[in-house]
Amino acid sequence: MAKSKVKSIAVLCSGGDSSGMNPCVRAVVRTAVYHGMEVFGVIRGYQGMLDDQIEPMTARSVSNIISRGGTILKTARCLEFMKKSKRKKAITNLQRRGIGGLVVIGGDGSFHGAHYLSMESKIKVVGIPGTIDNDINGTDFTIGYDTAINVAMDAIDKIRDTAASHDRIFFVEVMGRHAGYIALEAGVAAGAEDVLIPEVKTDPDALVKNLRDGLARGKTSSIIVVAEGDDAGGALKIAAVVEKKLGIMSKVTILGHLQRGGSPTAFDRVLASRLGVAAVHELAMGRSRIMVGVVQGKIKTSRLDHAWKVKKPISREMLKLNEILSV
Ligand code: ADP
């Protein structure tokens, strides 16, 4: 690599945590060290940037974290960072240490913050998509998504055991306030009878018909995966509606924060490592206001603002797949 255009960088995690943030922090820190750059870790995302919680890191600071969920840098939501006057203080805290580049691991909210920070200073910013929701345009996968769908799949497998033993209908709510990726992929992986997601309008009558038809075809138990942001209002609400229409009791399980935790899968560790290395290389080349992602297996960069201005479509193929396979 040619001589780096940035001598000193910082890395932070922001917004909702996701499993795989640690291997990503490790990759960023070690790539910087490898190329002779100085590297700092910002604790608690933008809050730490405002509070001047910015610590020097070495290759050893990230020893033995590749297998750990969560993030050693901690993460936070920081509403103050939405104010320009507050960001000025954060910029001063970075500049005082000679930090010329920033890697932000987070979702589109975090990228907004990075975008403004780069507009209001000479600090170069590169985003790495780290969120369980996989709802970021410019990458096929976000860090933490694979781990989350595996956690959800494991949980649904266990629910299937009891559902099958008792001939029950279960509604399993998974995370996804605005996106149905977790529900759809975990639903297909665990063989759900139906998947309800925010991207597709939910028709309770069609769902009841589907369940009735299943019973007529000899199904004795059913599992419906519901994304928390589905327009039916979540698993509890749709379960109540269906119970009334179908005349059969059902059970509801809400997986909640389980889905954020756990050791990252091999897929997430490798993705996090690749994106961490790529982000530092982009900064070293003097690039800014971009996100690094993986598209069809290859590292790709895209404009940071495209992460929120361009909506990532849900896979119609997966929706159809689920319909076919739940016959
Ligand atoms: P995520 O990054 O997972 O989407 P949030 O939407 O909570 O999570 O955003 C994380 C943080 O990013 C916020 O707490 C705030 O500090 C910062 N942020 C979000 N939106 C903006 C914005 N419009 N301007 C500046 N900072 C923002």
Side-chain angles (χ1 to χ4, degrees), residues 14-16 46 76-79 81-83 87 106-113 116 130-131:
S14 168
Y46 295 126
R77 293 202 157 90
C78 172
L79 296 180
F81 202 74
M82 300 202 182
K83 292 190 196 130
R87 289 196 294 270
D108 63 332
S110 305
F111 293 168
H112 269 89
Y116 291 128
T131 161

Side-chain angles (χ1 to χ4, degrees), residues 36-291:
M37 299 155 97
E38 201 179 8
V39 56
F40 293 85
V42 183
I43 314 299
R44 290 189 185 82
Y46 295 126
Q47 188 62 53
M49 203 182 271
L50 289 177
D51 297 343
D52 208 22
Q53 289 186 298
I54 304 169
E55 297 174 1
M57 297 186 87
T58 68
R60 297 289 76 75
S61 315
V62 289
S63 294
N64 303 322
I65 65 166
I66 196 160
S67 57
R68 284 167 58 189
T71 162
I72 58 160
L73 291 181
K74 299 189 181 283
T75 181
R77 293 202 157 90
C78 172
L79 296 180
E80 280 186 306
F81 202 74
M82 300 202 182
K83 292 190 196 130
K84 190 173 177 182
S85 58
K86 296 287 176 181
R87 289 196 294 270
K88 201 166 171 205
K89 191 176 162 211
I91 289 166
T92 306
N93 288 340
L94 294 178
Q95 285 174 337
R96 201 152 36 81
R97 291 173 172 86
I99 294 166
L102 178 70
V103 176
V104 172
I105 308 167
D108 63 332
S110 305
F111 293 168
H112 269 89
H115 182 83
Y116 291 128
L117 192 134
S118 74
M119 304 278 269
E120 294 157 12
S121 71
K122 289 209 167 96
I123 295 165
K124 298 187 187 309
V125 300
V126 174
I128 301 182
T131 161
I132 64 169
D133 291 327
N134 202 31
D135 58 346
I136 299 205
N137 185 62
T139 189
D140 289 345
F141 303 103
T142 57
I143 297 168
Y145 172 59
D146 187 67
T147 306
I149 56 179
N150 274 287
V151 168
M153 180 192 72
D154 275 350
I156 300 167
D157 284 350
K158 290 179 175 116
I159 288 165
R160 184 173 290 287
D161 289 345
T162 173
S165 301
H166 281 275
D167 295 340
R168 272 183 176 143
I169 297 171
F170 262 86
F171 288 83
V172 183
E173 185 175 298
V174 299
M175 280 186 166
R177 256 177 289 170
H178 307 288
Y181 297 95
I182 296 178
L184 188 53
E185 197 107 351
V188 168
E193 271 58 40
D194 218 328
V195 175
L196 311 182
I197 56 175
E199 292 86 344
V200 179
K201 188 152 180 43
T202 292
D203 177 354
D205 291 321
L207 175 58
V208 168
K209 181 177 181 315
N210 189 12
L211 290 169
R212 264 208 195 103
D213 290 351
L215 286 167
R217 289 196 305 272
K219 283 201 183 214
T220 53
S221 64
S222 289
I223 293 179
I224 320 298
V225 178
V226 187
E228 62 181 327
D230 180 68
D231 64 341
L236 280 166
K237 281 201 179 140
I238 188 72
V241 172
V242 169
E243 272 185 11
K244 226 175 179 179
K245 287 179 183 279
L246 194 64
I248 300 177
M249 297 288 282
S250 61
K251 296 280 173 194
V252 175
T253 302
I254 297 172
L255 298 186
H257 285 80
L258 263 180
Q259 296 157 91
R260 286 194 187 278
S263 179
T265 58
F267 182 92
D268 269 331
R269 295 183 199 190
V270 173
L271 176 69
S273 301
R274 290 179 77 193
L275 295 183
V277 171
V280 178
H281 284 170
E282 292 300 327
L283 281 179
M285 286 187 281
R287 303 231 174 88
S288 185
R289 238 169 279 152
I290 55 168
M291 184 193 86

